[in-house]
Amino acid sequence: MASITIALSKGRIFDDTAPLLKAAGVVALDDPETSRKLILATNRDNVRLIIVRASDVPTYVQYGAADMGIAGKDVLLEHGGSGLYQPLDLHIARCRMMVAVRDDFDYESAVRRGARLRVATKYLHTAREHFAEKGMHVDLIKLYGSMELAPLVGLAEAIVDLVSSGNTLKANHLKAVEEIMPISARLIINQAALKLKRTTIQPMLDAFSAAIAQCE
Ligand code: ATP
Ligand code: MG
């Protein structure tokens, strides 16, 4: 049976994926939160996991350094998805892509006036599409994290970020004003690997599908 490499990020993606992997008969021999290893062996001789940054998962799979991976829709939209087969929404790591502003900022009125807003975000592509669709002119400012800070110190009027409970927004006196889209993590597979290693990959795909169906 062909050997396969699965790319994952630690944190919520790994935590939410572990039960799905288990349903497919795959258990990591180390915990990525405590181990410094970037390549994790599993109970299966022919399956290994690699631990990479969330935004790097599609890149490893696109180039075939990993045969499959799990990445948020947010990350896939920024990456573009080229070379990737995306057969399955795993319904894990769910949150929403939102526009947020300071809680004393009148977003509706700014939109009505056609004000040109500065928007800070890690998600340039998604943000550009969203505001273009609304016919709004915005100046996008690329950040790599902690977007919540930007409106508080005058870097931008608005941010585009992922929101789940809304507690981080609240703690920073921000409010969500627009939902761009719901986000969840997807299984991604290298297109060539799917053809060449079908006998290994297809049963995992089926086990994932069955595990998801059971949770729904
Ligand atoms: P890094 O922490 O390495 O900078 P990251 O912030 O993208 O990268 P995570 O915070 O682990 O990494 O997020 C990984 C994925 O989990 C995201 O791409 C997204 O799909 C999902 N995610 C992010 N924030 C939330 C959230 N608040 N609730 C649920 N899912 C989320
Ligand atoms: Mg993070």
Side-chain angles (χ1 to χ4, degrees):
M1 229 191 203
S3 286
I4 60 164
T5 299
I6 305 175
L8 295 172
S9 53
K10 55 183 178 182
R12 67 189 113 228
I13 296 277
F14 185 88
D15 296 344
D16 288 3
T17 302
L20 295 176
L21 285 171
K22 194 163 179 217
V26 175
V27 179
L29 298 186
D30 283 289
D31 175 358
E33 297 304 333
T34 52
S35 167
R36 287 165 190 268
K37 289 181 190 168
L38 298 176
I39 301 179
L40 303 183
T42 72
N43 62 320
R44 296 237 322 244
D45 280 346
N46 67 330
V47 180
R48 64 175 184 171
L49 311 179
I50 61 172
I51 304 299
V52 304
R53 282 291 287 271
S55 46
D56 290 335
V57 168
T59 307
Y60 279 86
V61 178
Q62 171 187 9
Y63 287 98
D67 301 294
M68 49 200 274
I70 289 159
K73 188 178 176 191
D74 52 320
V75 163
L76 291 167
L77 288 172
E78 294 300 311
H79 172 270
S82 89
L84 303 176
Y85 177 55
Q86 300 182 31
L88 215 52
D89 180 349
L90 300 173
H91 300 287
I92 59 171
R94 291 169 96 145
C95 52
R96 293 177 294 162
M97 182 81 74
M98 310 275 295
V99 181
V101 298
R102 270 167 62 146
D103 55 19
D104 59 0
F105 184 81
D106 189 346
Y107 180 72
E108 290 310 320
S109 146
V111 172
R112 248 182 284 117
R113 290 197 317 273
R116 189 174 184 115
L117 298 183
R118 280 172 306 170
V119 180
T121 188
K122 185 157 118 178
Y123 306 103
L124 285 186
H125 181 82
T126 306
R128 189 177 297 118
E129 292 233 314
H130 173 71
F131 292 109
E133 236 167 64
K134 283 178 64 89
M136 277 174 70
H137 292 285
V138 296
D139 294 312
L140 294 175
I141 299 172
K142 167 82 181 182
L143 288 179
Y144 293 88
S146 301
M147 269 77 82
E148 297 88 358
L149 183 61
L152 305 181
V153 295
L155 178 63
E157 287 80 35
I159 60 173
V160 167
D161 199 3
L162 299 176
V163 179
S164 50
S165 68
N167 287 340
T168 308
L169 291 183
K170 217 172 288 163
N172 289 292
H173 306 286
L174 301 174
K175 62 183 175 187
V177 287
E178 227 161 50
E179 172 164 345
I180 299 181
M181 66 180 78
I183 298 289
S184 55
R186 320 270 153 138
L187 183 66
I188 56 177
I189 305 180
N190 176 278
Q191 285 172 351
L194 182 63
K195 292 195 194 98
L196 296 169
K197 302 183 177 181
R198 184 133 223 163
T199 50
T200 307
I201 291 176
Q202 188 66 48
M204 296 202 62
L205 230 172
D206 295 342
F208 279 15
S209 305
I212 298 160
Q214 226 169 41
C215 296
E216 291 297 279

